[in-house]
Amino acid sequence: MKPLDWSYELHVFGTRPKTLSLLDFSELAKRFAELLGSPSNVHFGALRPGSARILAKVDDSAKLDVQVQLIDARTKAQAMPKVARLDEYLRSKGWHGEVRNHDGAVVIAFPGALNAVHPQEERTVQQMDSVVGRVIKIGGRDETVPMTLETPDGSFVDVNIRGREMAKRLAPYLFGAEIRVTGLATWKRDVDGQWSCCGVLVDEFVELDGTPVTDLFEKLKSLPDNGWNSLDDPIGEWKKSRGDD
């Protein structure tokens, strides 16, 4: 059998020639050609068995240009989109790959699906919890009164007040001091693993005095036999205890 004449190989892991669709083959070949450059001097060589392995033959007159193109693709920002386009396609198909030269050395590796972030399962839990924020909207016709809080991080949480009497006590806090509401809270986790509070059935609330944390720790330092004085970074330790770090 006559040996194959080729210069570079795109080795795609996760598929085989017999299962590789014509559309996928054409997309891979197109992006492989963009990566190599010199379109009039780069030709299809063969499709090897095993994992899909697309071979490209480079004319002698363009070999140096292609070598420079591949070096630029790894090192120069203006050429990196060509690498990204091929890697993104591999990732979208659940594959990964690499470009090798005729000596078998890997010129560029494409992690593709190996670097894909797998979405987490969405989840909803309910538990007794507290939320801090400012009242920006309150009112409704039902016995359970809707209210919206703006939290310190700028997000908004819609809550429901259990009973009109408590709603009347909360009404003066509209656009006023921060409060902490407590009740049955609903938390949701999205596909990125981020938790957010999407509702609270409020049973009670307290007004926060608004004293900065730094001032509170200054007051603690003045108390005798206070363990916070022995810490180098008491505020940092406090944040760790709350799970903020």
Side-chain angles (χ1 to χ4, degrees):
M1 182 182 292
K2 184 179 179 181
L4 297 173
D5 184 15
W6 61 280
S7 307
Y8 294 95
E9 170 189 76
L10 173 60
H11 191 164
V12 180
F13 300 93
T15 186
R16 296 178 178 276
K18 289 185 178 180
T19 59
L20 183 67
S21 72
L22 187 60
L23 179 61
D24 286 331
F25 172 78
S26 64
E27 282 293 334
L28 290 170
K30 177 183 177 182
R31 295 172 196 231
F32 187 25
E34 290 176 349
L35 181 68
L36 296 175
S38 302
S40 60
N41 298 104
V42 176
H43 314 281
F44 173 67
L47 184 62
R48 273 185 169 177
S51 298
R53 301 163 70 180
I54 303 172
L55 305 184
K57 173 71 170 66
V58 180
D59 293 339
D60 291 340
S61 61
K63 284 185 176 180
L64 181 59
D65 291 338
V66 172
Q67 287 179 4
V68 172
Q69 171 88 353
L70 291 173
I71 293 172
D72 287 348
R74 289 181 298 172
T75 59
K76 292 188 177 180
Q78 63 266 32
M80 288 180 183
K82 296 177 181 178
V83 177
R85 274 176 48 78
L86 181 48
D87 190 58
E88 287 169 1
Y89 191 78
L90 292 171
R91 183 169 60 251
S92 71
K93 305 300 292 188
W95 303 332
H96 63 283
E98 56 193 22
V99 170
R100 298 177 180 175
N101 61 23
H102 197 274
D103 296 326
V106 176
V107 180
I108 301 177
F110 300 90
L114 296 179
N115 281 355
V117 177
H118 300 289
Q120 296 193 32
E121 180 183 358
E122 294 185 7
R123 187 180 175 191
T124 301
V125 298
Q126 288 188 317
Q127 62 185 31
M128 295 301 295
D129 212 337
S130 298
V131 175
V132 172
R134 280 189 169 84
V135 180
I136 63 168
K137 184 172 68 174
I138 186 171
R141 298 180 180 180
D142 298 330
E143 182 65 25
T144 302
V145 181
M147 179 174 71
T148 301
L149 296 176
E150 182 179 7
T151 65
D153 64 3
S155 60
F156 300 95
V157 180
D158 291 324
V159 305
N160 287 289
I161 307 162
R162 199 191 294 271
R164 293 184 177 180
E165 286 302 317
M166 186 183 300
K168 288 166 63 177
R169 290 171 23 224
L170 278 162
Y173 290 95
L174 183 64
F175 303 117
E178 283 191 337
I179 60 172
R180 177 185 292 111
V181 299
T182 302
L184 183 62
T186 301
W187 291 85
K188 286 188 177 181
R189 182 180 69 186
D190 61 21
V191 293
D192 296 322
Q194 300 296 315
W195 286 93
S196 60
C197 182
C198 57
V200 182
L201 184 57
V202 179
D203 290 316
E204 58 185 37
F205 74 95
V206 294
E207 179 182 345
L208 303 183
D209 62 11
T211 304
V213 173
T214 51
D215 292 349
L216 292 175
F217 277 105
E218 287 298 324
K219 292 180 180 178
L220 283 173
K221 286 182 180 181
S222 65
L223 299 177
D225 300 324
N226 179 0
W228 291 105
N229 288 324
S230 62
L231 299 175
D232 294 331
D233 183 11
I235 295 179
E237 292 298 324
W238 171 73
K239 287 183 177 180
K240 288 181 182 178
S241 70
R242 298 174 68 245
D244 292 346
D245 284 357

